[in-house]
C-alpha cells in the first residue's frame, strides 16, 4: 500500500518519530566526511565489536588508559543501553 509514513515507533516506545512539518529546502545536503560504502554484515560486525569491547574502542579512539573498574562499567553500560534502529 503506497503512502507517506508520518509516525513510527517500537512496541516499547523507546524510539518514536513523528512528522511535524514539511519544509522546502533549497540548500544541498552536506555529506559526512571520512565515510565509505560497506556491506551491512561488515557494519553489524563492527558495531557488535564496539558493544562487546566498548572500553577498548573508547581507549583506542581517545588514547585514555582506563582503570579495570572503568573498563567493566563501560562495557556493562554499552551492552545494557543500546537499542539500534536499523
Amino acid at each position: 500500500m503506497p503512502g507517506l509514513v508520518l509516525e513510527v515507533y517500537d512496541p516499547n516506545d523507546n524510539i518514536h518519530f513523528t512528522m511535524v512539518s514539511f519544509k522546502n529546502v533549497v540548500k544541498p545536503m552536506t555529506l559526512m566526511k571520512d565515510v565509505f560504502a560497506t556491506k551491512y554484515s561488515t557494519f553489524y560486525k563492527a558495531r557488535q565489536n564496539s558493544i562487546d569491547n566498548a572500553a577498548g574502542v573508547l581507549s583506542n579512539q581517545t588514547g585514555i588508559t582506563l582503570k579495570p573498574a572503568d573498563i567493566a562499567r563501560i562495557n556493562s553500560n554499552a551492552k545494557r543501553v543500546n537499542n539500534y534502529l536499523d
Side-chain angles (χ1 to χ4, degrees):
M1 174 163 59
L4 176 63
V5 176
L6 300 177
E7 186 171 31
V8 176
Y9 52 89
D10 70 340
N12 296 325
D13 208 29
N14 292 317
I15 298 173
H16 196 132
F17 296 101
T18 303
M19 166 75 120
V20 292
S21 69
F22 286 101
K23 184 176 181 181
N24 187 13
V25 178
V26 181
K27 191 166 104 176
M29 291 178 58
T30 303
L31 299 177
M32 294 171 33
K33 296 180 181 179
D34 300 326
V35 297
F36 54 90
T38 188
K39 295 179 184 176
Y40 181 78
S41 60
T42 304
F43 162 77
Y44 183 84
K45 185 177 178 181
R47 182 177 68 193
Q48 194 60 44
N49 178 56
S50 71
I51 294 170
D52 293 341
N53 186 21
V57 172
L58 176 65
S59 183
N60 284 339
Q61 291 179 349
T62 63
I64 297 171
T65 302
L66 300 169
K67 298 175 186 173
D70 292 333
I71 292 170
R73 180 180 49 81
I74 292 167
N75 287 340
S76 174
N77 285 343
K79 290 177 183 167
R80 184 173 46 87
V81 297
N82 284 297
N83 184 10
Y84 293 103
L85 178 65
D86 288 342

